[in-house]
């Protein structure tokens, strides 16, 4: 809700609804200047890696929580590698230490509402298994608050989320929002075609 400044990241969470009431929910984080700084790219690429791990974990018969666990593990591994959290990674995950910087779950069911699971039984989604025809979001994020003294000053104020809509198929998954750029290089290329020169 503030000014969009050169050098900042813009996190855009977009939900749409069709005339048949089905919804989509997609988030992209874009550099306002058109290119990521090295540090912004480092954060973005870790979130992208976590999303890739989460998407790969979506398959029929897998627990609903599998994509969340895969994404959280990738984020925890990166945070330990960067020295922001003290490992080992299994300890970090057991204690949920990475959640200081992730702030939300890694996704939700999607359908006739942006959070389609609101009135369904938890055993059918949260504690159930994925089935063909289900649609969910995979949306890991990392957020370093501007006043968080637990991170180096240069990280403070950087927040990244990448969200896509994934259909569970008989064979595995289809990323329904695959037409949008996801990797840092693809986001920059997409912006280069659209930003004024």
């Amino acid at each position: 809700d503030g000014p969009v400044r050169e050098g900042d990241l813009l996190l855009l969470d977009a939900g749409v609804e069709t005339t048949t009431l089905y919804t989509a929910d997609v988030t992209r984080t874009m550099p306002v200047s058109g290119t990521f700084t090295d540090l912004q790219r480092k954060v973005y690429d870790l979130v992208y890696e976590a999303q890739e791990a989460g998407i790969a974990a979506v398959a029929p018969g897998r627990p609903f929580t599998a994509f969340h666990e895969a994404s959280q593990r990738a984020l925890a591994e990166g945070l330990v590698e960067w020295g922001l959290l003290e490992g080992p990674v299994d300890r970090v995950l057991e204690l949920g230490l990475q959640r200081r910087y992730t702030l939300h779950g890694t996704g939700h069911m999607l359908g006739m509402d942006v959070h389609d699971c609101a009135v369904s039984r938890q055993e059918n989604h949260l504690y159930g298994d994925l089935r063909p025809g289900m649609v969910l979001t995979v949306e890991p994020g990392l957020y370093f608050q501007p006043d968080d003294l637990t991170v180096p000053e240069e990280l403070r104020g950087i927040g990244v989320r990448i969200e896509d809509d994934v259909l569970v198929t008989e064979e595995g998954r289809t990323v329904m929002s695959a037409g949008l750029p996801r990797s840092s290089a693809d986001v920059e290329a997409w912006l280069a075609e659209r930003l004024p020169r």
Side-chain angles (χ1 to χ4, degrees):
D1 62 354
V4 177
R5 296 179 300 264
E6 198 73 12
D8 282 354
L9 294 175
L10 174 67
L11 190 152
L12 179 63
D13 188 346
V16 297
E17 184 176 271
T18 67
T19 55
T20 59
L21 305 181
Y22 282 94
T23 58
D25 192 13
V26 178
T27 302
R28 289 297 183 268
T29 304
M30 300 171 280
V32 173
S33 64
T35 56
F36 293 98
T37 67
D38 289 344
L39 200 52
Q40 289 170 344
R41 182 184 316 281
K42 180 179 177 178
V43 175
Y44 189 97
D45 288 349
L46 178 55
V47 174
Y48 176 77
E49 183 181 318
Q51 193 197 34
E52 287 280 282
I55 290 171
V58 173
R62 299 287 310 272
F64 174 80
T65 55
F67 74 94
H68 171 74
E69 292 164 0
S71 289
Q72 292 293 303
R73 176 167 289 279
L75 293 173
E77 288 170 352
L79 293 167
V80 168
E81 183 180 316
W82 294 354
L84 295 180
L85 295 174
E86 184 180 331
V89 171
D90 287 337
R91 173 189 164 272
V92 169
L93 292 167
E94 182 181 335
L95 297 174
L97 301 178
Q98 80 286 357
R99 294 183 59 107
R100 177 182 185 98
Y101 309 115
T102 62
L103 304 183
H104 57 75
T106 309
H108 52 83
M109 300 303 277
L110 193 62
M112 301 283 287
D113 189 3
V114 171
H115 296 90
D116 201 31
C117 59
V119 294
S120 68
R121 295 180 182 272
Q122 287 190 337
E123 59 266 19
N124 289 336
H125 68 279
L126 187 57
Y127 304 116
D129 292 336
L130 295 173
R131 297 187 306 272
M134 288 181 164
V135 179
L136 58 137
T137 69
V138 179
E139 54 174 309
L142 275 179
Y143 311 92
F144 301 109
Q145 302 304 315
D147 58 354
D148 189 343
L149 301 180
T150 68
V151 297
E153 186 174 358
E154 61 269 17
L155 280 174
R156 295 177 201 158
I158 295 178
V160 172
R161 178 166 70 239
I162 311 169
E163 177 182 24
D164 282 275
D165 302 342
V166 182
L167 168 67
V168 182
T169 65
E170 295 284 349
E171 299 77 32
R173 77 215 55 84
T174 298
V175 179
M176 297 171 65
S177 47
L180 296 172
R182 278 196 315 122
S183 73
S184 55
D186 288 347
V187 167
E188 287 179 336
W190 187 81
L191 288 172
E193 295 174 3
R194 288 159 178 80
L195 288 176
R197 297 184 193 273

